[in-house]
Amino acid sequence: MVVSYQKVEELGVITINNPPVNALSQSVRQGLVDALQQAGRDDTKAVVLICEGRTFIAGADISEFGKPPLEPSLPEVNAAIEACPKPVIAALHGTALGGGFEVALSCDYRCALASAQVGLPEVNLGLLPGAGGTQRLPRLIGPEAALEMITSGQRVGSAKASALGLIDRILAEPLAENALAYARELVAKGAGVRRVRDLQVAGEGFGEAEFAEWRTRLAKRKRGQKAPQRIVDCVETALSKPFEQGLAFERAQFVECVQSEQSAALRHIFFAEREAARVPGLDKSVMPRSVARVGIIGAGTMGGGIAMCFANAGIPVTLVEQNQEGLDRGLGLIRKNYEITVSKGKLTGPAAQERQKLISGSTDYADVGDVDLVIEAVFESMDVKKQVFAELDEHCKPGAILATNTSYLDINEIAASVSRPADVVGLHFFSPANVMRLLEVVRTDQVADDVLATAMALGKRIGKVPVLAGVCFGFIGNRMLRQYAREAQLCLIEGGTPEQIDSALTGFGMAMGPLAVSDLAGLDISYKARQALTQEQKGDPRSYCIADALVEMGRLGQKSGAGYYRYDPKTRARESDPEVVAVVEAQAAQQGITRRTLSDQEILDRHLLALVNEGFRILEEGVALRPGDIDVVYVNGYGFPSYQGGPMFYASQLGLEQVSQRLEALHQQTGEAYWQPAPLLQQLVRDGQTLADWAG
């Protein structure tokens, strides 16, 4: 039985045991209703609700989303808790999240272990609490704290929850024994039923202006997302309407969110991130290698950021640089990054110091002789990287994993240059490495299974979202980015302006427009890389002539105060620059292009379809294992809006036949081979299949 009931002297005890996280499946909901009815009929004086396993109810059963509702609903369960004629005490451990926390809020009293966490994370799935969370929480902690908690979706530890008034008693282990003792104490005091629904919201001084301010704030913080605005509406209703009306309003908003495309996209990403961690064909008996110490070669911005990733996870790091000056500069940048984090209140000073102590520096490869993993993060040159790997091959102990952070280069070639190619893997971090969640794990032809298992497990250990990629130029993300960047340049030279192009993409939900991103990264980076290429390798001059002209004028982006835009030297605020329009027009004339008016929709289509078409090619070649893996890469590494689900999800929502038709129209219009619909896309359209069919 997933829910059991027993009498323990004068107390009734309802126990949920639904591994692994006691999710609120239909059987759990029904079991709770049945147990509450039984408790209401017997001679017990109070009821304790507790869970077996590692956690309290960690949330709803998300697998039921999108399916016909099964009774009893969670609101009905919570109503049954509130209808119990005896006080109900929730005993929390692990996490009480989403629907699990709504169950706890429906109880009369809440006690918890000090290690427990509570939260309402529904907003992260494009949803809002649908079983009274937006109505009960403000009644306990007021509208301001409730809005912060619900719209952020963040977890709150027991100490803070107690201070807010969410937890009535923090308990020591063992939970069951001490929860029953707390319940007996309540009975002895004559504490009766204390329903949260009957409380008045402490909303004095919080009115229309404050709610308007929250809406404005969330429009910036959660740009483009609809659920946060609906949450504000629900909390406002909690202040102005009776409880039952508030519940009905919340439920209606919840149902609309569940049926929305945004929530479908966010749920897709939620599951895709978890699926991406699984490597098909990798035997479950393969054990990851132990990684107790890490070495990093290169103390630049990327190397320092990677070092912080490991230090933040409690793993000691040795940072190696060519000379002391470069090493000091790198360690200084790490120190500055930690100081910024402390100044923002995201880390305490002592904690930052402890993390910095885990990072040591050296100018001698011998000092990485005993590390379990070493990551090369030097200049993007095959010759330079081979020199580094020759040193690592000589100095690193047998069994040490040799990883490269290359963004584009052939890792098979790097692996072939050492005596132990099975130990070589790609670990492609994204800048800033200590912030960005994505980690592309690149599988070489000869990599050992346990090295691959180690890389994937280590990614999760340091708080990244690891995605497996095959070897090709740019792997998954940067290979697709080339197509996207090409369209930014072509749209610019054919008639667009930097502002129009960027606004078309940010209007869709991209974190930044492609040209603003180029200015942020520095136009000189790509320029230098192009200088090492042949004319054939560079490709169509129309796709880089403007960028080259800007660099040769000294316009390198934000670092020089001017790129595609002009930047305020103090605030870095950007503004349009007529000089750029003149450069664009001059380059268009040189290339024989008659500029025309481009619609925002054309700009958006060309950028997104360029990503999608290359994504289909990547899937067909096996560079990416699943469509969802591509989506995870783009959402976590390239600013693709999570509420749009990623490029492949976007294609699925648009319809593959529609995608193919739009690509074919661009192919006919331009004559360019890259607009020819990818063979896999054509095959799926012919066979009437979806990407989900293909992935299955």
Side-chain angles (χ1 to χ4, degrees), residues 61 65 118 154 246 256 282 305 431 437 690:
D61 187 344
F65 286 177
V118 301
Q154 293 179 349
E256 286 190 28
L282 192 64
S431 187
R437 296 181 68 220
T690 65

Side-chain angles (χ1 to χ4, degrees), residues 536-557:
E536 183 179 356
Q537 288 172 329
K538 286 183 182 180
D540 187 345
R542 297 176 302 165
S543 68
Y544 60 82
C545 62
I546 295 171
D548 280 5
L550 292 174
V551 171
E552 288 160 10
M553 292 168 63
R555 301 179 67 106
L556 310 182

Side-chain angles (χ1 to χ4, degrees), residues 280-605:
L282 192 64
D283 197 293
K284 292 181 179 179
S285 65
V286 175
M287 296 299 295
R289 298 183 189 180
S290 172
V291 177
R293 187 172 189 86
V294 172
I296 296 167
I297 311 302
T301 302
M302 180 59 79
I306 296 172
M308 291 177 69
C309 292
F310 288 97
N312 292 344
I315 302 172
V317 179
T318 300
L319 196 57
V320 177
E321 187 49 88
Q322 283 183 311
N323 53 57
Q324 192 64 43
E325 182 184 359
L327 182 61
D328 290 343
R329 186 167 51 247
L331 291 172
L333 182 60
I334 290 171
R335 183 171 58 255
K336 182 180 178 182
N337 284 337
Y338 275 121
E339 287 171 353
I340 291 171
T341 305
V342 170
S343 71
K344 291 180 177 178
K346 296 181 179 179
L347 194 66
T348 65
Q353 290 174 6
E354 287 302 313
R355 294 181 185 188
Q356 287 180 75
K357 288 178 184 176
L358 291 172
I359 303 173
S360 59
S362 174
T363 57
D364 190 345
Y365 277 96
D367 288 333
V368 294
D370 65 343
V371 301
D372 304 299
L373 163 72
V374 63
I375 303 170
E376 162 276 309
V378 301
F379 184 68
E380 194 75 350
S381 158
M382 180 61 79
D383 290 340
V384 173
K385 290 185 186 293
K386 283 183 176 179
Q387 289 171 16
V388 170
F389 268 79
E391 295 282 359
L392 299 178
D393 200 15
E394 177 184 346
H395 289 94
C396 291
K397 69 182 182 183
I401 297 172
L402 312 183
T404 174
N405 180 57
T406 181
S407 302
Y408 291 98
L409 300 177
D410 185 343
I411 305 179
N412 283 325
E413 185 177 339
I414 295 173
S417 71
V418 299
S419 64
R420 35 176 153 175
D423 290 335
V424 177
V425 69
L427 292 179
H428 181 209
F429 289 79
F430 288 73
S431 187
N434 53 304
V435 174
M436 298 295 285
R437 296 181 68 220
L438 178 65
L439 176 66
E440 280 185 320
V441 176
V442 187
R443 172 163 49 186
T444 63
D445 291 343
Q446 298 185 60
V447 67
D449 283 354
D450 63 341
V451 170
L452 204 58
T454 305
M456 297 298 286
L458 191 63
K460 294 176 70 175
R461 183 178 166 191
I462 62 174
K464 302 299 183 186
V465 180
V467 177
L468 191 64
V471 175
C472 69
F473 186 80
F475 319 127
I476 296 173
N478 282 342
R479 173 170 162 179
M480 292 171 65
L481 184 65
R482 291 188 79 199
Q483 316 305 314
Y484 182 81
R486 177 199 69 223
E487 287 311 302
Q489 294 297 315
L490 292 179
C491 286
L492 186 59
I493 201 168
E494 289 174 24
T497 64
E499 297 81 5
Q500 183 192 14
I501 293 165
D502 283 346
S503 65
L505 273 301
T506 55
F508 173 76
M510 291 290 190
M512 292 178 71
L515 300 173
V517 168
S518 295
D519 274 358
L520 179 63
L523 276 63
D524 53 324
I525 305 298
S526 298
Y527 179 84
K528 289 174 184 175
R530 278 193 295 276
Q531 303 317 298
L533 303 176
T534 65
Q535 286 301 122
E536 183 179 356
Q537 288 172 329
K538 286 183 182 180
D540 187 345
R542 297 176 302 165
S543 68
Y544 60 82
C545 62
I546 295 171
D548 280 5
L550 292 174
V551 171
E552 288 160 10
M553 292 168 63
R555 301 179 67 106
L556 310 182
Q558 285 192 21
K559 67 177 78 174
S560 67
Y564 291 104
Y565 301 91
R566 183 163 294 282
Y567 294 87
D568 183 282
K570 292 182 180 179
T571 65
R572 292 275 177 107
R574 69 173 181 258
E575 59 182 26
S576 304
D577 193 341
E579 193 173 351
V580 174
V581 177
V583 171
V584 171
E585 289 176 345
Q587 291 298 319
Q590 282 187 29
Q591 298 295 329
I593 295 172
T594 302
R595 284 167 57 79
R596 61 185 175 86
T597 300
L598 274 64
S599 70
D600 289 352
Q601 188 61 50
E602 179 185 348
I603 291 169
L604 185 62
D605 266 359

Side-chain angles (χ1 to χ4, degrees), residues 167-184:
I167 302 295
D168 300 296
R169 178 72 61 86
I170 295 179
L171 304 177
E173 294 271 19
L175 176 64
E177 180 181 323
N178 288 320
L180 293 182
Y182 174 58
R184 291 189 183 100

Side-chain angles (χ1 to χ4, degrees), residues 57 110 116 200 445 507 567 576 684:
I57 303 165
R110 285 157 294 284
Q200 290 297 312
D445 291 343
Y567 294 87
S576 304
L684 292 177

Side-chain angles (χ1 to χ4, degrees), residues 125-152:
L125 295 179
L127 301 171
L128 53 84
T134 67
Q135 304 304 297
R136 293 187 178 91
L137 198 64
R139 284 171 162 79
L140 272 177
I141 63 176
E144 180 82 28
L147 281 168
E148 182 59 47
M149 190 169 171
I150 303 173
T151 60
S152 71

